[in-house]
Amino acid sequence: MTEKFLEKRAQAKLNHEPVLRDKSLELLIKTALENDCVRILEVGTNVGLSGIALLLSNKNAHLTGIEINEEKANQAIQNYKEFGVYERTQMFLGDATEIIPLLTGEYDLIFLDGPKGHYAEYLPNLMSNLKVGGIIFADNVLFRGYVNGKVKTPHKFNTTKNSMTKYLHSVTHDERLQTQIIDIEDGVSITKRIK
């Protein structure tokens, strides 16, 4: 990553933006490159930095982003322009629950980093848009250690924990999918569609 990009990430962290953690970002880029992911969907774009990293690492990649917060979506667009990748992006502003069912075509990579309590709900529709050989890379799947039982779940996070548990059960018990859960940072899962 360029010095300019690293500075932008550092600034976002200082501003308490929920940017993808460093090791998870490295793994996301490595996964995208190893699987030659060109058509990418990002659910939960925030200010666009993960998408920019993916686009900078592969000059042939195109990114479709979904972001519910208008201010964040506008910041992402500005950041795309600043890093010279805007022409390879498309942004949908709104609720991913409503937008995902309307998407057409197939994606090589779906990066899930939106509302943690909705991953399981998104999955059936995402499967319609995931090509065979395509990847779903999901962040925060161990959600603060609550999902794997390392940390006792406070009552207010039970719904999110249960939803994430359901998502992980779905991607590990579907014969069309092959899933690896990696216990780094807040936990990531890499799911490949094998048929």
Side-chain angles (χ1 to χ4, degrees):
M1 292 293 103
T2 65
E3 190 70 31
K4 180 181 169 187
F5 179 77
L6 294 173
E7 284 172 14
K8 183 67 88 169
R9 259 178 72 79
Q11 188 58 54
K13 289 176 190 176
L14 285 175
N15 293 339
H16 306 290
E17 293 293 352
V19 295
L20 186 61
R21 292 165 178 85
D22 295 347
K23 287 180 186 169
S24 301
L25 179 64
E26 279 175 33
L27 185 58
L28 173 65
I29 292 167
K30 181 174 179 247
T31 303
L33 289 172
E34 284 177 354
N35 292 278
D36 194 26
C37 298
V38 174
R39 194 155 187 253
I40 301 168
L41 172 66
E42 181 178 30
V43 181
T45 298
N46 196 306
V47 296
L49 297 181
S50 299
I52 289 167
L54 287 165
L55 293 170
L56 290 176
S57 66
N58 184 346
K59 302 292 182 215
N60 297 316
H62 290 262
L63 178 82
T64 300
I66 302 174
E67 177 54 51
I68 196 167
N69 181 308
E70 188 171 0
E71 186 183 334
K72 302 289 185 204
N74 288 333
Q75 274 184 273
I77 290 165
Q78 283 309 117
N79 286 332
Y80 294 154
K81 289 176 179 173
E82 184 181 335
F83 285 90
V85 297
Y86 175 71
E87 301 303 322
R88 295 189 281 140
T89 64
Q90 178 181 24
M91 176 70 74
F92 288 107
L93 176 65
D95 188 335
T97 309
E98 296 167 7
I99 294 168
I100 290 169
L102 305 176
L103 295 172
T104 56
E106 291 186 320
Y107 291 94
D108 303 310
L109 174 68
I110 297 171
F111 173 39
L112 270 184
D113 198 20
K116 312 310 162 205
H118 292 281
Y119 286 16
E121 184 185 348
Y122 297 154
L123 188 60
N125 284 312
L126 290 176
M127 286 297 291
S128 305
N129 297 102
L130 184 66
K131 75 169 200 179
V132 174
I135 304 283
I136 300 175
F137 188 105
D139 190 31
N140 310 107
V141 297
L142 299 179
F143 193 56
R144 305 178 184 182
Y146 304 151
V147 174
N148 57 3
K150 283 188 175 178
V151 179
K152 185 174 176 0
T153 310
H155 182 72
K156 68 177 181 175
F157 291 120
N158 274 333
T159 303
T160 303
K161 176 200 163 183
N162 292 341
S163 176
M164 194 62 83
T165 302
K166 183 179 173 189
Y167 171 78
L168 290 176
H169 183 271
S170 297
V171 295
T172 52
H173 289 79
D174 186 325
E175 62 176 22
R176 298 169 296 173
L177 304 173
Q178 205 168 53
T179 297
Q180 186 182 10
I181 299 166
I182 302 157
D183 190 358
I184 57 167
E185 296 165 333
D186 203 29
V188 299
S189 63
I190 302 174
T191 298
K192 186 166 196 167
R193 182 166 192 165
I194 53 173
K195 56 182 167 180

